[in-house]
Amino acid sequence: MLWSGWGDPAKARELPEQIRDLLRDLLGVRAPGTPAASLESVSLPPVALSGPRLDALAEVVGAEHVLTGHEARVRHTRGKSTPDLLRMRAGDGSDAPDAVVLPGSHDEVAELLRLCSRERIAVVPFGGGTSVVGGLAAARAGFAGVIALDLARLDRLRSVDAESMVAEFEPGVRAPDAERLLAAHGLTLGHFPQSFEYATLGGFAAARSSGQASAGYGRFDDMVVGLTLVTPSGTLALGRAPKSAAGPDLRQLVLGSEGAFGVITSLRLRVRRAPAERRYEGWRFASFAAGSAAMRALAQEGPLPTVLRLSDETETMIGLAKPDAIGSGGSGGSGGSGCLLIAGYEGARVGDRHAAASAVLARTGGEPLGPEPGQAWEHGRFSAPYLRDSLLAAGATVETLETAGFWANLPRLYDAVRLALLGALGSPLVMCHVSHVYETGASLYFTVVTPQDADPVAQWERAKEAVNAAIVEAGGTISHHHGVGRDHRDAYAAEIGPVGAAVLRAVKAELDPAGILNPGVLVPEG
Ligand SMILES: Cc1cc2nc3c(=O)[nH]c(=O)nc-3n(C[C@H](O)[C@H](O)[C@H](O)COP(=O)(O)OP(=O)(O)OC[C@H]3O[C@@H](n4cnc5c(N)ncnc54)[C@H](O)[C@@H]3O)c2cc1C
């Protein structure tokens, strides 16, 4: 993973000439961004942990699994939001942990949490490091130091129960490895977020992730049938049946807990048969409203495709649903005006489901565009984040944000977010797609591009604050799938109200009395 950007550096993309023209002519981007600092020149605070404390950590996991070197600390500084990347590009490593600690077992994690509670060492659980909500930067005040608890060594598939269709994993397994391990059994999870290449199963559970095929396979929190959470107060082992009426479902308290209540050390996940057939295609709708109505019909009447997304007019024009084709001579969009909808079908009865869903799409005003747009989307489905680095270097800020609401409120939410962005940034390019649908509502996923001013981090933070307030005011949730972290904590507090915030603080006090776990993340201050 590129330490100051996204993904495999070998896959980095030059900006096509057409995008450069667009940045200059449409957005007024004139000057390139500040060049990225070199890894060696990133400025880090001195290691705050004393020698005896580092020795005590090493006694638990082995000295070779406690890293205090420059590169390890840089690579565990923050996550991968655009402000995170801008800070790293500027050589600002002020949020670096003092040490990176890699436990090799559940018992070692438990021992580390006891030790860190005693010694007042803050612990940031670290999966793939792809958080985009500030979920990996601990508030250090009052602590003897901060460690990143990297779960990379907990990377095994423990068991497969083919009868119940349940697989048990350790949390540090990356998504492509999970798919590879399951493929050997003819199975799949079907979880494909855009961060697929690097994110881990533990991170998906801790942040309630949702993937591109969640219409068919479900959100990640739908897949979790059981889990183990180690806390400084002891271990929670949850999930002895698929559903239960034995009180509140405590699994739900762990899902989305973002490392603030404990460390997930195992996950039992519902799996599906690997699909024998896949079919993706495009449809055009006259407007975003018409396409949204078609999606609602599919969500409420069925059948729901496995993949379903609808770009608004601007996103369709730019061609963001087909990132590999952006700038390739006008073929990036759907080849016409209106809004592009991508529908994909995987698994059983593909032909029947395709026929039935296509009848709904045609009845609701869709024009079939055939397989090409669907295949182009599939080909470029993990490419868009690579463009971000090139845009940052070219002097544009690009960032994404998301929310969800009930169908009846969706147009209001859409307008509120757009207006907040326009108000805060002047005339940015704002694109949106409906990324996930449910019977009762949907999520909206926005991509924003704007010229960088002299302080692009502060510029984006102002915009983000305005959007957060607009989402709360318009009745949406502050996150459909990115989570809360530090960036959404205040808006989350407003969403759940003072009683909700007090419940979270009470849970935190019970499970983590010394408050060492991910301080500053998720749980609103009292
Ligand atoms: C380019 C890009 C595209 C993205 N696309 C999507 C998308 O399509 N859908 C989506 O849902 N998200 C997406 N994300 C966000 C991110 O990938 C998800 O939030 C993901 O779930 C994080 O997984 P991770 O392993 O990287 O976790 P990390 O970023 O390492 O951690 C996330 C949070 O969970 C905590 N945590 C991690 N592991 C554990 C554990 N074992 N126990 C307890 N706490 C833990 C961390 O402390 C942190 O607060 C994207 C991010 C990027 C950068």
Side-chain angles (χ1 to χ4, degrees):
M1 169 79 97
L2 182 61
W3 66 275
S4 62
W6 178 251
D8 175 358
K11 294 190 198 165
R13 282 182 60 191
E14 277 287 304
L15 277 188
E17 205 44 47
Q18 276 185 319
I19 297 290
R20 290 187 182 279
D21 293 349
L22 192 103
L23 290 178
R24 192 186 53 240
D25 300 339
L26 190 72
L27 292 173
V29 176
R30 300 261 179 265
T34 315
S38 65
L39 193 147
E40 303 72 41
S41 68
V42 174
S43 151
L44 300 180
V47 173
L49 283 171
S50 63
R53 286 193 168 108
L54 289 171
D55 290 346
L57 292 166
E59 257 175 52
V60 180
V61 294
E64 69 278 30
H65 298 127
V66 178
L67 313 176
T68 53
H70 184 84
E71 179 166 354
R73 292 178 70 206
V74 168
R75 288 187 178 281
H76 290 79
T77 303
R78 312 188 188 96
K80 294 290 178 187
S81 71
T82 293
D84 290 344
L85 300 192
L86 286 167
R87 287 191 175 101
M88 292 314 283
R89 290 174 65 89
D92 169 4
S94 54
D95 288 319
D98 297 303
V100 179
V101 180
L102 295 108
S105 68
H106 168 99
D107 290 347
E108 286 185 4
V109 177
E111 187 56 37
L112 284 172
L113 294 189
R114 283 192 290 271
L115 169 69
C116 291
S117 295
R118 260 192 333 266
E119 298 291 330
R120 289 203 58 74
I121 300 171
V123 177
V124 180
F126 195 100
T130 67
S131 168
V132 283
V133 291
L136 295 164
R140 313 186 143 250
F143 293 97
V146 177
I147 62 165
L149 191 82
D150 189 324
L151 295 151
R153 289 176 66 214
L154 297 181
D155 63 351
R156 286 174 307 163
L157 168 62
R158 283 210 187 122
S159 64
V160 174
D161 171 356
E163 197 175 344
S164 312
M165 295 293 275
V166 170
E168 181 172 2
F169 283 98
E170 293 182 333
V173 179
R174 288 181 195 275
D177 294 329
E179 288 298 336
R180 184 179 48 73
L181 291 163
L182 287 175
H185 299 264
L187 301 171
T188 181
L189 269 180
H191 192 66
F192 302 106
Q194 215 168 34
S195 51
F196 175 79
E197 294 163 277
Y198 294 94
T200 62
L201 303 183
F204 292 148
R208 286 197 114 106
S209 169
S210 200
Q212 294 166 342
S214 289
Y217 292 101
R219 297 165 55 94
F220 198 80
D221 47 18
D222 294 334
M223 299 177 189
V224 178
V225 297
L227 52 82
T228 308
L229 182 81
V230 192
T231 80
S233 299
T235 292
L236 265 175
L238 299 167
R240 49 175 67 197
K243 294 282 173 195
S244 162
D249 187 348
L250 291 180
R251 287 174 297 194
Q252 297 299 327
L253 203 59
V254 177
L255 297 169
S257 61
E258 300 184 14
F261 294 164
V263 180
I264 297 164
T265 53
S266 84
L267 285 161
R268 274 178 292 123
L269 303 174
R270 178 256 284 148
V271 292
R272 297 255 169 90
R273 302 243 167 271
E277 200 184 341
R278 288 189 175 85
R279 183 167 176 172
Y280 300 116
E281 64 183 22
W283 289 74
R284 185 184 358 253
F285 283 84
S287 66
F288 196 46
S292 300
M295 289 178 116
R296 177 161 55 84
L298 279 176
Q300 292 176 346
E301 298 166 28
L304 208 50
T306 315
V307 171
L308 188 63
R309 62 172 274 158
L310 170 76
S311 298
D312 72 357
E313 288 83 352
T314 314
E315 192 179 285
T316 302
M317 184 187 73
I318 300 292
L320 206 63
K322 300 155 70 175
D324 283 351
I326 293 178
S328 62
S331 62
S334 63
S337 59
C339 292
L340 175 66
L341 179 144
I342 301 291
Y345 306 84
E346 296 183 5
R349 298 183 302 101
V350 161
D352 293 350
R353 285 163 54 222
H354 172 259
S358 298
V360 176
L361 292 172
R363 192 195 76 216
T364 48
E367 176 199 338
L369 299 173
E372 189 278 329
Q375 286 162 1
W377 169 82
E378 188 195 7
H379 191 254
R381 65 195 292 186
F382 303 125
S383 302
Y386 287 91
L387 270 178
R388 175 170 59 166
D389 294 331
S390 313
L391 286 164
L392 293 179
T397 290
V398 58
E399 181 59 307
T400 62
L401 53 96
E402 40 83 44
T403 178
F406 294 105
W407 286 114
N409 196 36
L410 223 51
R412 178 173 167 228
L413 201 48
Y414 176 80
D415 289 343
V417 173
R418 280 184 57 83
L419 280 176
L421 287 166
L422 296 177
L425 294 169
S427 27
L429 184 66
V430 182
M431 302 169 269
C432 178
H433 65 264
V434 176
S435 63
H436 299 86
V437 296
Y438 306 92
E439 280 176 67
T440 52
S443 75
L444 296 173
Y445 187 94
F446 292 87
T447 304
V448 191
V449 189
T450 194
Q452 288 169 20
D453 71 10
D455 184 350
V457 173
Q459 178 193 22
W460 178 252
E461 281 176 349
R462 279 193 305 276
K464 183 74 177 161
E465 202 177 317
V467 172
N468 288 357
I471 288 174
V472 172
E473 164 67 23
T477 176
I478 196 60
S479 176
H480 170 265
H481 59 265
H482 283 165
V484 175
R486 290 160 75 99
D487 301 355
H488 292 157
R489 193 172 67 148
D490 293 348
Y492 178 49
E495 190 171 323
I496 60 176
V499 177
V503 169
L504 289 182
R505 283 194 295 272
V507 171
K508 171 100 176 155
E510 181 62 38
L511 298 179
D512 177 22
I516 55 158
L517 281 161
N518 231 354
V521 166
L522 182 79
V523 182
E525 275 171 355

mmCIF file of all heavy atoms in Angstrom, residues 164-179:
data_model
loop_
_atom_site.group_PDB
_atom_site.id
_atom_site.type_symbol
_atom_site.label_atom_id
_atom_site.label_comp_id
_atom_site.label_asym_id
_atom_site.label_seq_id
_atom_site.Cartn_x
_atom_site.Cartn_y
_atom_site.Cartn_z
ATOM 1 N N SER A 164 -24.041 -25.637 7.805
ATOM 2 C CA SER A 164 -24.701 -24.389 8.236
ATOM 3 C C SER A 164 -24.351 -23.217 7.334
ATOM 4 O O SER A 164 -24.935 -22.136 7.474
ATOM 5 C CB SER A 164 -24.280 -24.038 9.665
ATOM 6 O OG SER A 164 -24.382 -25.139 10.518
ATOM 7 N N MET A 165 -23.358 -23.416 6.448
ATOM 8 C CA MET A 165 -22.847 -22.339 5.588
ATOM 9 C C MET A 165 -22.281 -21.190 6.436
ATOM 10 O O MET A 165 -22.612 -20.004 6.265
ATOM 11 C CB MET A 165 -23.931 -21.832 4.627
ATOM 12 C CG MET A 165 -24.370 -22.871 3.626
ATOM 13 S SD MET A 165 -23.044 -23.295 2.457
ATOM 14 C CE MET A 165 -23.225 -22.029 1.216
ATOM 15 N N VAL A 166 -21.396 -21.580 7.359
ATOM 16 C CA VAL A 166 -20.750 -20.613 8.251
ATOM 17 C C VAL A 166 -19.242 -20.863 8.224
ATOM 18 O O VAL A 166 -18.799 -22.012 8.318
ATOM 19 C CB VAL A 166 -21.287 -20.763 9.693
ATOM 20 C CG1 VAL A 166 -20.440 -19.936 10.665
ATOM 21 C CG2 VAL A 166 -22.752 -20.343 9.784
ATOM 22 N N ALA A 167 -18.471 -19.780 8.094
ATOM 23 C CA ALA A 167 -17.007 -19.902 8.141
ATOM 24 C C ALA A 167 -16.488 -19.034 9.282
ATOM 25 O O ALA A 167 -16.983 -17.923 9.496
ATOM 26 C CB ALA A 167 -16.395 -19.445 6.819
ATOM 27 N N GLU A 168 -15.493 -19.562 10.006
ATOM 28 C CA GLU A 168 -14.918 -18.779 11.109
ATOM 29 C C GLU A 168 -13.539 -18.267 10.711
ATOM 30 O O GLU A 168 -12.665 -19.040 10.308
ATOM 31 C CB GLU A 168 -14.810 -19.626 12.378
ATOM 32 C CG GLU A 168 -14.248 -18.803 13.523
ATOM 33 C CD GLU A 168 -14.302 -19.517 14.867
ATOM 34 O OE1 GLU A 168 -14.749 -20.678 14.899
ATOM 35 O OE2 GLU A 168 -13.886 -18.893 15.857
ATOM 36 N N PHE A 169 -13.363 -16.970 10.851
ATOM 37 C CA PHE A 169 -12.117 -16.310 10.458
ATOM 38 C C PHE A 169 -11.506 -15.573 11.628
ATOM 39 O O PHE A 169 -12.206 -15.097 12.521
ATOM 40 C CB PHE A 169 -12.394 -15.241 9.389
ATOM 41 C CG PHE A 169 -12.640 -15.750 8.001
ATOM 42 C CD1 PHE A 169 -13.942 -15.902 7.538
ATOM 43 C CD2 PHE A 169 -11.593 -16.051 7.154
ATOM 44 C CE1 PHE A 169 -14.180 -16.343 6.240
ATOM 45 C CE2 PHE A 169 -11.817 -16.491 5.858
ATOM 46 C CZ PHE A 169 -13.116 -16.642 5.398
ATOM 47 N N GLU A 170 -10.191 -15.380 11.559
ATOM 48 C CA GLU A 170 -9.545 -14.399 12.423
ATOM 49 C C GLU A 170 -9.731 -13.013 11.796
ATOM 50 O O GLU A 170 -10.011 -12.905 10.599
ATOM 51 C CB GLU A 170 -8.071 -14.764 12.602
ATOM 52 C CG GLU A 170 -7.908 -16.054 13.391
ATOM 53 C CD GLU A 170 -6.466 -16.459 13.646
ATOM 54 O OE1 GLU A 170 -5.576 -16.090 12.832
ATOM 55 O OE2 GLU A 170 -6.218 -17.149 14.640
ATOM 56 N N PRO A 171 -9.561 -11.942 12.585
ATOM 57 C CA PRO A 171 -9.976 -10.620 12.101
ATOM 58 C C PRO A 171 -9.043 -9.968 11.094
ATOM 59 O O PRO A 171 -9.449 -9.086 10.347
ATOM 60 C CB PRO A 171 -9.993 -9.785 13.387
ATOM 61 C CG PRO A 171 -8.966 -10.438 14.259
ATOM 62 C CD PRO A 171 -9.066 -11.901 13.974
ATOM 63 N N GLY A 172 -7.757 -10.415 11.074
ATOM 64 C CA GLY A 172 -6.796 -9.718 10.222
ATOM 65 C C GLY A 172 -6.775 -10.215 8.785
ATOM 66 O O GLY A 172 -5.932 -9.772 7.991
ATOM 67 N N VAL A 173 -7.702 -11.104 8.431
ATOM 68 C CA VAL A 173 -7.720 -11.619 7.055
ATOM 69 C C VAL A 173 -8.190 -10.502 6.121
ATOM 70 O O VAL A 173 -9.238 -9.896 6.342
ATOM 71 C CB VAL A 173 -8.699 -12.816 6.945
ATOM 72 C CG1 VAL A 173 -8.742 -13.342 5.517
ATOM 73 C CG2 VAL A 173 -8.311 -13.917 7.919
ATOM 74 N N ARG A 174 -7.405 -10.229 5.088
ATOM 75 C CA ARG A 174 -7.820 -9.217 4.111
ATOM 76 C C ARG A 174 -8.880 -9.813 3.187
ATOM 77 O O ARG A 174 -8.903 -11.025 2.953
ATOM 78 C CB ARG A 174 -6.632 -8.756 3.270
ATOM 79 C CG ARG A 174 -5.672 -7.896 4.055
ATOM 80 C CD ARG A 174 -4.530 -7.436 3.170
ATOM 81 N NE ARG A 174 -3.450 -6.926 3.988
ATOM 82 C CZ ARG A 174 -3.366 -5.676 4.443
ATOM 83 N NH1 ARG A 174 -4.299 -4.799 4.127
ATOM 84 N NH2 ARG A 174 -2.356 -5.296 5.186
ATOM 85 N N ALA A 175 -9.719 -8.919 2.627
ATOM 86 C CA ALA A 175 -10.858 -9.401 1.841
ATOM 87 C C ALA A 175 -10.452 -10.313 0.669
ATOM 88 O O ALA A 175 -11.071 -11.373 0.484
ATOM 89 C CB ALA A 175 -11.670 -8.205 1.351
ATOM 90 N N PRO A 176 -9.406 -9.983 -0.112
ATOM 91 C CA PRO A 176 -9.063 -10.891 -1.223
ATOM 92 C C PRO A 176 -8.614 -12.261 -0.711
ATOM 93 O O PRO A 176 -8.911 -13.288 -1.340
ATOM 94 C CB PRO A 176 -7.898 -10.176 -1.924
ATOM 95 C CG PRO A 176 -7.961 -8.761 -1.468
ATOM 96 C CD PRO A 176 -8.557 -8.775 -0.101
ATOM 97 N N ASP A 177 -7.937 -12.290 0.452
ATOM 98 C CA ASP A 177 -7.500 -13.573 1.004
ATOM 99 C C ASP A 177 -8.705 -14.378 1.491
ATOM 100 O O ASP A 177 -8.744 -15.608 1.344
ATOM 101 C CB ASP A 177 -6.504 -13.358 2.149
ATOM 102 C CG ASP A 177 -5.208 -12.741 1.644
ATOM 103 O OD1 ASP A 177 -4.851 -13.018 0.479
ATOM 104 O OD2 ASP A 177 -4.586 -11.970 2.384
ATOM 105 N N ALA A 178 -9.688 -13.681 2.076
ATOM 106 C CA ALA A 178 -10.904 -14.388 2.512
ATOM 107 C C ALA A 178 -11.571 -15.049 1.312
ATOM 108 O O ALA A 178 -11.975 -16.223 1.364
ATOM 109 C CB ALA A 178 -11.864 -13.407 3.188
ATOM 110 N N GLU A 179 -11.649 -14.310 0.207
ATOM 111 C CA GLU A 179 -12.292 -14.888 -0.991
ATOM 112 C C GLU A 179 -11.476 -16.064 -1.532
ATOM 113 O O GLU A 179 -12.030 -17.084 -1.950
ATOM 114 C CB GLU A 179 -12.474 -13.815 -2.079
ATOM 115 C CG GLU A 179 -13.566 -12.795 -1.766
ATOM 116 C CD GLU A 179 -14.966 -13.417 -1.629
ATOM 117 O OE1 GLU A 179 -15.214 -14.504 -2.185
ATOM 118 O OE2 GLU A 179 -15.805 -12.819 -0.931
#
